[in-house]
Amino acid sequence: MTAVATMAKSGSNNKRAREEDNAEVVVGDENPPSTLPEIQERIKQLIARIPSKEETAKLSLDDIPAMERWCKTVRRITRDYNLSLNFVAIANYQWEPDRPGHTGQSLGALRNQIQLSTAQTNIVSNHIARVLTPSLDTRLHKKTVIEKPNGEKEETYEYAAVINDPEMLQLNREQLCDEAIYKRQLVVSTMNQMVLCMDDYQKAEAGAAGAETSRFSMAY
Protein backbone atom coordinates (compact mmCIF):
# COMPACT_ATOMS: atom_id res chain seq x y z
CA MET A 1 0.00 0.00 0.00
CA THR A 2 1.26 3.49 -0.85
CA ALA A 3 -0.05 6.98 -0.22
CA VAL A 4 0.84 10.47 -1.32
CA ALA A 5 1.91 12.99 1.27
CA THR A 6 2.54 16.70 0.73
CA MET A 7 5.67 17.90 2.46
CA ALA A 8 5.37 21.08 4.49
CA LYS A 9 7.78 23.97 4.08
CA SER A 10 10.76 23.76 6.38
CA GLY A 11 10.56 26.33 9.15
CA SER A 12 14.30 26.67 9.82
CA ASN A 13 16.64 28.55 7.48
CA ASN A 14 19.59 26.71 9.01
CA LYS A 15 18.20 23.23 8.45
CA ARG A 16 19.63 21.37 5.48
CA ALA A 17 17.31 21.39 2.49
CA ARG A 18 16.25 17.76 2.19
CA GLU A 19 13.04 18.35 0.31
CA GLU A 20 11.43 20.80 -2.09
CA ASP A 21 8.47 22.90 -0.99
CA ASN A 22 5.10 21.26 -1.75
CA ALA A 23 6.78 18.31 -3.50
CA GLU A 24 4.79 15.11 -3.69
CA VAL A 25 6.40 12.02 -2.17
CA VAL A 26 5.27 8.43 -2.02
CA VAL A 27 5.22 6.76 1.41
CA GLY A 28 4.32 3.12 1.96
CA ASP A 29 5.46 -0.36 2.91
CA GLU A 30 8.21 -0.25 0.28
CA ASN A 31 9.10 3.42 0.74
CA PRO A 32 10.27 4.44 4.24
CA PRO A 33 9.58 8.03 5.35
CA SER A 34 12.38 10.60 5.41
CA THR A 35 10.65 13.80 6.62
CA LEU A 36 8.22 14.60 9.44
CA PRO A 37 5.23 15.00 7.07
CA GLU A 38 6.07 11.61 5.56
CA ILE A 39 6.32 10.03 9.01
CA GLN A 40 2.92 11.51 9.87
CA GLU A 41 1.47 10.06 6.67
CA ARG A 42 2.95 6.67 7.48
CA ILE A 43 1.41 6.73 10.96
CA LYS A 44 -1.98 7.56 9.46
CA GLN A 45 -1.63 4.57 7.13
CA LEU A 46 -0.95 2.31 10.11
CA ILE A 47 -3.91 3.70 12.05
CA ALA A 48 -6.17 2.77 9.12
CA ARG A 49 -4.96 -0.84 9.38
CA ILE A 50 -5.88 -1.31 13.03
CA PRO A 51 -8.70 -3.86 13.43
CA SER A 52 -12.09 -2.22 13.87
CA LYS A 53 -13.76 -1.77 17.22
CA GLU A 54 -16.44 -4.24 16.15
CA GLU A 55 -13.90 -6.90 15.19
CA THR A 56 -12.04 -6.34 18.44
CA ALA A 57 -15.20 -6.69 20.52
CA LYS A 58 -15.81 -10.15 19.05
CA LEU A 59 -12.56 -11.62 20.39
CA SER A 60 -13.33 -14.75 22.35
CA LEU A 61 -11.73 -17.87 23.78
CA ASP A 62 -14.09 -19.79 21.53
CA ASP A 63 -12.19 -18.61 18.44
CA ILE A 64 -8.46 -18.77 19.15
CA PRO A 65 -7.43 -18.47 15.46
CA ALA A 66 -9.33 -15.16 15.19
CA MET A 67 -7.65 -13.95 18.37
CA GLU A 68 -4.22 -14.85 17.03
CA ARG A 69 -4.93 -13.11 13.70
CA TRP A 70 -5.92 -9.97 15.62
CA CYS A 71 -2.74 -10.18 17.69
CA LYS A 72 -0.51 -10.65 14.65
CA THR A 73 -2.12 -7.68 12.89
CA VAL A 74 -1.70 -5.36 15.87
CA ARG A 75 1.82 -6.64 16.50
CA ARG A 76 2.82 -5.81 12.92
CA ILE A 77 1.29 -2.34 13.20
CA THR A 78 3.02 -1.47 16.48
CA ARG A 79 6.35 -2.75 15.16
CA ASP A 80 6.03 -0.62 12.02
CA TYR A 81 4.95 2.34 14.13
CA ASN A 82 7.94 2.14 16.47
CA LEU A 83 10.23 1.64 13.48
CA SER A 84 8.81 4.74 11.79
CA LEU A 85 9.44 6.80 14.93
CA ASN A 86 13.13 6.00 14.62
CA PHE A 87 13.20 8.11 11.46
CA VAL A 88 12.25 11.26 13.38
CA ALA A 89 15.82 11.89 14.55
CA ILE A 90 17.09 11.44 10.98
CA ALA A 91 14.41 13.61 9.40
CA ASN A 92 14.85 16.33 12.01
CA TYR A 93 18.64 16.45 12.28
CA GLN A 94 20.30 19.79 12.72
CA TRP A 95 23.61 20.62 14.35
CA GLU A 96 22.66 21.65 17.89
CA PRO A 97 24.70 24.91 18.05
CA ASP A 98 22.84 26.10 14.94
CA ARG A 99 19.41 25.37 16.40
CA PRO A 100 17.43 28.33 17.82
CA GLY A 101 16.77 28.04 21.55
CA HIS A 102 12.99 27.75 21.32
CA THR A 103 13.30 25.08 18.65
CA GLY A 104 15.64 23.11 20.89
CA GLN A 105 13.00 23.15 23.64
CA SER A 106 10.36 21.98 21.19
CA LEU A 107 12.61 19.18 20.02
CA GLY A 108 13.05 18.05 23.61
CA ALA A 109 9.27 17.95 24.02
CA LEU A 110 8.95 15.92 20.82
CA ARG A 111 11.56 13.44 22.01
CA ASN A 112 9.78 13.04 25.35
CA GLN A 113 6.50 12.37 23.56
CA ILE A 114 8.15 9.72 21.39
CA GLN A 115 9.47 7.95 24.48
CA LEU A 116 6.03 8.05 26.10
CA SER A 117 4.35 6.86 22.92
CA THR A 118 6.73 3.93 22.59
CA ALA A 119 6.14 2.93 26.20
CA GLN A 120 2.37 3.00 25.69
CA THR A 121 2.40 0.82 22.58
CA ASN A 122 4.81 -1.57 24.31
CA ILE A 123 2.13 -2.24 26.92
CA VAL A 124 0.02 -3.76 24.17
CA SER A 125 2.94 -5.41 22.35
CA ASN A 126 4.13 -7.17 25.50
CA HIS A 127 0.69 -8.63 26.18
CA ILE A 128 0.40 -9.81 22.60
CA ALA A 129 3.81 -11.47 22.86
CA ARG A 130 2.62 -13.47 25.88
CA VAL A 131 -0.32 -14.72 23.84
CA LEU A 132 1.51 -15.51 20.60
CA THR A 133 4.83 -16.72 21.99
CA PRO A 134 4.32 -18.47 25.33
CA SER A 135 7.38 -20.05 26.92
CA LEU A 136 8.02 -23.60 25.71
CA ASP A 137 9.74 -26.69 27.09
CA THR A 138 11.28 -29.54 25.13
CA ARG A 139 9.95 -32.86 26.35
CA LEU A 140 10.15 -36.47 25.28
CA HIS A 141 7.23 -37.18 22.98
CA LYS A 142 7.84 -40.71 21.79
CA LYS A 143 10.30 -43.54 22.34
CA THR A 144 10.66 -46.26 19.73
CA VAL A 145 12.59 -49.50 20.25
CA ILE A 146 13.60 -51.52 17.20
CA GLU A 147 15.03 -55.00 17.64
CA LYS A 148 17.56 -55.93 14.96
CA PRO A 149 18.02 -59.44 13.54
CA ASN A 150 21.23 -59.88 15.55
CA GLY A 151 19.30 -59.27 18.76
CA GLU A 152 20.53 -55.78 19.39
CA LYS A 153 18.03 -53.07 20.23
CA GLU A 154 18.03 -49.61 18.74
CA GLU A 155 16.20 -46.85 20.57
CA THR A 156 14.85 -43.73 18.87
CA TYR A 157 13.65 -40.69 20.80
CA GLU A 158 11.33 -38.00 19.49
CA TYR A 159 11.04 -34.68 21.31
CA ALA A 160 8.35 -32.04 21.05
CA ALA A 161 8.04 -28.44 22.17
CA VAL A 162 5.17 -28.06 24.63
CA ILE A 163 3.77 -25.01 26.38
CA ASN A 164 5.49 -24.56 29.69
CA ASP A 165 2.51 -23.09 31.56
CA PRO A 166 -0.86 -23.72 29.84
CA GLU A 167 -2.76 -22.08 32.70
CA MET A 168 -0.79 -18.84 32.30
CA LEU A 169 -1.42 -18.87 28.55
CA GLN A 170 -5.12 -19.28 29.20
CA LEU A 171 -5.04 -16.40 31.67
CA ASN A 172 -3.26 -14.17 29.14
CA ARG A 173 -5.85 -15.00 26.51
CA GLU A 174 -8.72 -14.25 28.88
CA GLN A 175 -7.12 -10.97 29.86
CA LEU A 176 -6.67 -10.01 26.22
CA CYS A 177 -10.34 -10.64 25.47
CA ASP A 178 -11.37 -8.56 28.49
CA GLU A 179 -9.03 -5.66 27.69
CA ALA A 180 -8.91 -5.76 23.88
CA ILE A 181 -11.20 -2.73 23.35
CA TYR A 182 -9.16 -0.61 25.77
CA LYS A 183 -5.83 -1.72 24.36
CA ARG A 184 -6.95 -1.11 20.80
CA GLN A 185 -8.03 2.40 21.79
CA LEU A 186 -4.70 2.94 23.56
CA VAL A 187 -2.87 2.21 20.31
CA VAL A 188 -5.20 4.39 18.23
CA SER A 189 -5.05 7.33 20.65
CA THR A 190 -1.30 7.09 21.09
CA MET A 191 -0.66 7.15 17.35
CA ASN A 192 -3.11 10.01 16.73
CA GLN A 193 -1.49 11.96 19.55
CA MET A 194 1.92 11.46 17.96
CA VAL A 195 0.68 12.93 14.67
CA LEU A 196 -0.68 15.94 16.58
CA CYS A 197 2.57 16.31 18.50
CA MET A 198 4.52 16.46 15.24
CA ASP A 199 2.15 19.15 13.99
CA ASP A 200 2.76 21.18 17.15
CA TYR A 201 6.51 20.75 16.81
CA GLN A 202 6.54 21.94 13.21
CA LYS A 203 4.44 24.99 14.15
CA ALA A 204 6.82 25.81 17.00
CA GLU A 205 9.83 25.35 14.71
CA ALA A 206 8.33 27.64 12.07
CA GLY A 207 7.52 30.24 14.73
CA ALA A 208 11.04 30.15 16.15
CA ALA A 209 12.55 30.48 12.69
CA GLY A 210 10.30 33.46 11.97
CA ALA A 211 11.29 35.17 15.20
CA GLU A 212 14.97 34.56 14.44
CA THR A 213 14.60 36.08 10.95
CA SER A 214 12.77 39.10 12.38
CA ARG A 215 15.50 39.67 14.96
CA PHE A 216 18.23 39.73 12.34
CA SER A 217 16.23 41.92 9.94
CA MET A 218 15.95 44.60 12.66
CA ALA A 219 19.71 44.64 13.33
CA TYR A 220 21.67 47.63 11.94
Side-chain angles (χ1 to χ4, degrees):
M1 175 182 178
T2 59
V4 175
T6 301
M7 300 193 305
K9 186 174 181 179
S10 173
S12 174
N13 293 329
N14 294 323
K15 181 177 291 186
R16 296 177 182 175
R18 287 187 292 266
E19 70 272 353
E20 296 180 0
D21 295 346
N22 300 322
E24 289 189 343
V25 293
V26 178
V27 184
D29 294 341
E30 304 301 325
N31 297 283
S34 60
T35 67
L36 282 184
E38 290 178 48
I39 295 171
Q40 289 177 293
E41 178 61 31
R42 180 57 175 164
I43 293 174
K44 292 175 184 178
Q45 291 176 8
L46 297 175
I47 292 173
R49 298 179 185 181
I50 295 175
S52 68
K53 188 175 182 179
E54 292 72 23
E55 180 182 350
T56 303
K58 293 179 181 178
L59 293 184
S60 165
L61 295 175
D62 296 329
D63 193 348
I64 300 300
M67 179 192 300
E68 292 183 344
R69 286 194 301 271
W70 185 94
C71 287
K72 290 177 181 178
T73 299
V74 176
R75 179 178 64 180
R76 173 66 183 273
I77 291 169
T78 55
R79 283 178 175 175
D80 287 350
Y81 172 64
N82 289 334
L83 183 59
S84 296
L85 291 182
N86 283 294
F87 285 92
V88 172
I90 300 172
N92 203 44
Y93 173 75
Q94 183 179 359
W95 183 241
E96 285 295 335
D98 295 337
R99 189 180 293 276
H102 291 297
T103 305
Q105 294 175 7
S106 300
L107 181 60
L110 177 61
R111 288 170 176 168
N112 290 337
Q113 186 61 41
I114 289 174
Q115 291 178 353
L116 176 61
S117 181
T118 302
Q120 289 173 325
T121 54
N122 282 345
I123 292 174
V124 180
S125 298
N126 291 338
H127 192 172
I128 287 176
R130 294 195 298 271
V131 172
L132 292 180
T133 56
S135 59
L136 303 176
D137 281 339
T138 301
R139 298 178 185 175
L140 179 62
H141 172 66
K142 183 179 180 182
K143 175 183 177 181
T144 304
V145 180
I146 301 176
E147 186 171 346
K148 296 182 178 181
N150 59 6
E152 294 182 357
K153 293 182 179 180
E154 182 180 276
E155 297 180 349
T156 302
Y157 299 90
E158 294 183 16
Y159 293 88
V162 297
I163 297 174
N164 180 34
D165 192 342
E167 292 182 358
M168 180 57 68
L169 175 60
Q170 181 72 3
L171 179 62
N172 288 329
R173 287 171 172 171
E174 291 176 359
Q175 185 181 3
L176 179 66
C177 291
D178 293 339
E179 301 175 354
I181 291 293
Y182 273 67
K183 290 190 170 176
R184 174 194 175 276
Q185 189 60 45
L186 178 61
V187 174
V188 173
S189 298
T190 296
M191 294 170 72
N192 277 320
Q193 186 180 47
M194 194 70 248
V195 172
L196 177 61
C197 181
M198 290 182 183
D199 274 338
D200 291 340
Y201 168 75
Q202 291 175 95
K203 291 175 184 177
E205 183 183 53
E212 192 76 6
T213 300
S214 176
R215 183 173 68 86
F216 281 108
S217 66
M218 294 175 63
Y220 58 89

